[in-house]
């Protein structure tokens, strides 16, 4: 059922096909450094939010349904160095939620069963994102 978006990173849509979204990994962090005290053990003090991480993983089968051009477009957006919006859709793709402005830190791929054009018949990819604003980011409470 291609054509129903699940997630968008800027102009890049992840659907059932061709860029199949498989997993989303997120991690939120806060800082609690230890402060040494005289005569007793250290105590921790909350000093604020730390950097959250968010990674999208998926796969595509270029010879069957395409996807490699979409993957290369993700890399082009990363290399442009421009922040983009992270959007998610509800069931049916009728309503979008804006999670915030993000930057693309890493884009990676693992090619299997290499075709004669040098592209894997099965390609697993990953996109690591970070919040652009530094105001807690979109990830703390994304899901």
């Amino acid at each position: 059922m291609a054509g129903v978006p699940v997630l968008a990173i800027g102009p890049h849509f992840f659907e059932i096909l061709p860029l199949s979204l498989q997993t989303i990994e997120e991690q939120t962090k806060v800082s609690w450094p230890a402060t040494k005290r005289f005569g007793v053990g250290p105590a921790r003090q909350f000093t604020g939010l730390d950097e959250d991480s968010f990674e999208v993983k998926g796969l595509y089968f270029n010879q069957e349904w395409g996807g490699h051009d979409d993957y290369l477009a993700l890399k082009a957006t990363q290399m442009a160095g421009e922040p983009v919006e992270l959007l998610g859709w509800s069931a049916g793709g009728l309503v979008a939620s804006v999670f915030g402005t993000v930057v693309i830190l890493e884009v990676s791929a693992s090619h299997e069963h290499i075709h004669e054009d040098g592209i894997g018949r099965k390609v697993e990819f990953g996109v690591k994102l970070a919040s652009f604003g530094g105001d807690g980011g979109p990830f703390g409470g994304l899901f």
Side-chain angles (χ1 to χ4, degrees):
M1 186 167 134
V4 178
V6 177
L7 186 78
I9 301 171
H12 311 288
F13 292 87
F14 297 85
E15 303 171 326
I16 303 302
L17 296 172
L19 292 182
S20 175
L21 182 65
Q22 299 292 304
T23 61
I24 295 174
E25 295 178 6
E26 63 170 313
Q27 182 179 47
T28 58
K29 295 181 186 179
V30 296
S31 294
W32 283 89
T35 304
K36 295 185 184 210
R37 302 180 296 169
F38 184 74
V40 294
R44 296 204 173 263
Q45 178 180 358
F46 180 74
T47 59
L49 302 174
D50 207 335
E51 288 193 52
D52 295 344
S53 63
F54 186 82
E55 184 172 5
V56 174
K57 294 181 180 180
L59 76 131
Y60 62 90
F61 299 89
N62 194 57
Q63 276 67 44
E64 287 81 10
W65 298 291
H68 192 67
D69 289 339
D70 297 307
Y71 170 76
L72 293 176
L74 268 168
K75 291 177 77 166
T77 298
Q78 174 196 26
M79 293 298 143
E82 294 291 325
V84 294
E85 294 300 314
L86 179 64
L87 306 169
W89 274 265
S90 66
L94 301 176
V95 179
S97 297
V98 179
F99 295 126
T101 306
V102 297
V103 294
I104 301 173
L105 298 177
E106 295 180 21
V107 178
S108 60
S110 174
H111 296 254
E112 293 182 31
H113 313 291
I114 307 301
H115 189 262
E116 62 190 29
D117 62 6
I119 300 169
R121 286 180 165 83
K122 175 184 175 186
V123 180
E124 296 179 3
F125 67 92
V127 183
K128 289 187 183 180
L129 306 171
S131 173
F132 173 68
D135 55 1
F139 311 128
L142 179 59
F143 296 105

